[in-house]
Amino acid sequence: MKKVLSLVAVLTLVFSLAACGGSEDDGEFAENPQIVGIEAGAGIMAATNTAIDEYDLEMELLTSSGPAMVSALGDAIENEEWIVVTGWSPHYKFAEYDLKYLEDPKGVYGDVENLHTVARPELSTDDPDLATFLENFYMSGTELGGLMGDIAASDDDAIEVARAWMADNEDVWSAWMPDGFDGGGAELEIGYVNWAEGVAMTNLVQALLIDEANYSVEITMADAGPIFSGVSDGSIDFFLDAWLPVTHASYQEQYGDTYEDLGYNFEGARIGLVVPTYVDIDSIDELNDYVN
Ligand code: PBE
């Protein structure tokens, strides 16, 4: 009996030692952890490179995409592994998973900011009603969060999900439409980046302009740099997902004199490093303590 007990004790010890050997679920990051990032041109990527410098982080930043970041997050959460991603709100991932922002005592990621609609020069002179519509276009957290969540949960094309949202929210969007709004079949090109909030807003505006205002609207996805330069040189009519004054400050500096800022369409956005709530740290300062 004694022998059996000690064998159990030895085995328990062996297994618990094995569990400390840097496996993923022992309360720290797997070996050589990366910060899962998004598209290279995103402001949050530049901010994260600054954070790596300022906090001396022993982690590399992985260039990826908005959707790939969310799926990496989902996979890690399924296995309860530690993961850190470049995250932002508004974003449906906060409704889907239990997540938290790591505190940023050095203030690298800036404060809350707003999402602006930026348009090609002359848009408001050429089409004042369109400019009025874009100036009126504004979504609350509940409205944008709901639409984003619907798109994430659906297999249908985003524009069809936006149309279903329109059917349920006519009181919201009808207030954006100037009297007698009619584009007379004019062609428009909207630029967007593959970021959930921009996908949602862009598909909604596209659907509204086609179905309710008689425009012919194409949407084009690209990285942020080409979108800002396209709006400035007039090859793109407008972009709904400009994060100001912080995240897209460098684009504003470069192109702000040429594009026209039609004001904000969402208030209270923020960016930062985001982890699942089971990741047992609160601050970016603590990240290195948990790197193997
Ligand atoms: N984001 C979402 C963008 C702006 C929209 C925070 C990823 C960025 O970092 O540039």
Side-chain angles (χ1 to χ4, degrees), residues 38 41-45 87-88 195 197 224 241 243 247-248 270-271:
I38 56 168
I44 200 172
M45 296 294 277
W88 65 94
W195 300 325
E197 73 291 343
D241 205 5
W243 287 50
T247 304
H248 292 154
R270 72 173 287 196
I271 62 172

Side-chain angles (χ1 to χ4, degrees), residues 6-181:
S6 56
L7 184 61
V8 169
V10 167
L11 285 178
T12 312
L13 185 65
V14 168
F15 281 121
S16 45
L17 282 176
C20 292
S23 73
E24 299 96 0
D25 58 355
D26 61 352
E28 54 184 40
F29 291 102
E31 249 166 81
N32 302 322
Q34 289 172 317
I35 297 172
V36 180
I38 56 168
E39 295 82 359
I44 200 172
M45 296 294 277
T48 301
N49 282 318
T50 307
I52 288 173
D53 283 352
E54 296 259 324
Y55 291 93
D56 264 327
L57 297 181
E58 293 155 20
M59 288 182 153
E60 273 173 25
L61 176 58
L62 179 70
T63 303
S64 153
S65 73
M69 177 275 289
V70 179
S71 73
L73 190 59
D75 290 347
I77 289 174
E78 204 162 297
N79 300 311
E80 273 215 31
E81 290 167 4
W82 282 36
I83 185 171
V84 53
V85 304
T86 58
W88 65 94
S89 350
H91 197 286
Y92 68 90
K93 61 185 175 289
F94 289 95
E96 204 159 312
Y97 303 117
D98 289 328
L99 303 172
K100 62 185 177 188
Y101 280 98
L102 293 178
E103 285 157 25
D104 171 25
K106 295 186 197 278
V108 169
Y109 290 97
D111 223 337
V112 292
E113 57 188 330
N114 296 331
L115 312 195
H116 288 239
T117 300
V118 295
R120 66 173 170 82
E122 310 297 320
L123 180 136
S124 55
T125 324
D126 297 347
D127 190 342
D129 277 356
L130 176 61
T132 301
F133 164 76
L134 291 173
E135 281 160 4
N136 291 343
F137 173 66
Y138 172 86
M139 298 187 86
S140 68
T142 315
E143 289 156 6
L144 183 53
L147 176 58
M148 242 190 289
D150 292 350
I151 291 172
S154 173
D155 290 332
D156 295 340
D157 289 346
I159 191 165
E160 297 311 327
V161 181
R163 287 185 163 120
W165 187 93
M166 279 160 57
D168 292 339
N169 292 276
E170 184 159 356
D171 55 325
V172 177
W173 61 260
S174 59
W176 304 331
M177 314 296 272
D179 286 343
F181 190 21

Side-chain angles (χ1 to χ4, degrees), residues 119-265:
R120 66 173 170 82
E122 310 297 320
L123 180 136
S124 55
T125 324
D126 297 347
D127 190 342
D129 277 356
L130 176 61
T132 301
F133 164 76
L134 291 173
E135 281 160 4
N136 291 343
F137 173 66
Y138 172 86
M139 298 187 86
S140 68
T142 315
E143 289 156 6
L144 183 53
L147 176 58
M148 242 190 289
D150 292 350
I151 291 172
S154 173
D155 290 332
D156 295 340
D157 289 346
I159 191 165
E160 297 311 327
V161 181
R163 287 185 163 120
W165 187 93
M166 279 160 57
D168 292 339
N169 292 276
E170 184 159 356
D171 55 325
V172 177
W173 61 260
S174 59
W176 304 331
M177 314 296 272
D179 286 343
F181 190 21
D182 186 336
E187 290 180 4
L188 292 177
E189 173 123 359
I190 316 176
Y192 72 108
V193 191
N194 204 355
W195 300 325
E197 73 291 343
V199 171
M201 292 189 296
T202 303
N203 279 275
L204 174 60
V205 166
Q206 181 189 24
L208 276 171
L209 291 175
I210 293 174
D211 299 357
E212 303 293 334
N214 190 24
Y215 284 86
S216 164
V217 188
E218 298 287 340
I219 64 175
T220 303
M221 187 172 81
D223 208 348
I227 299 288
F228 275 100
S229 85
V231 171
S232 292
D233 70 24
S235 57
I236 289 171
D237 288 291
F238 58 90
F239 174 51
L240 297 161
D241 205 5
W243 287 50
L244 296 168
V246 186
T247 304
H248 292 154
S250 64
Y251 293 120
Q252 189 182 31
E253 232 164 77
Q254 199 175 347
Y255 301 111
D257 288 343
T258 39
Y259 66 61
E260 198 176 352
D261 188 334
L262 298 180
Y264 58 81
N265 55 50

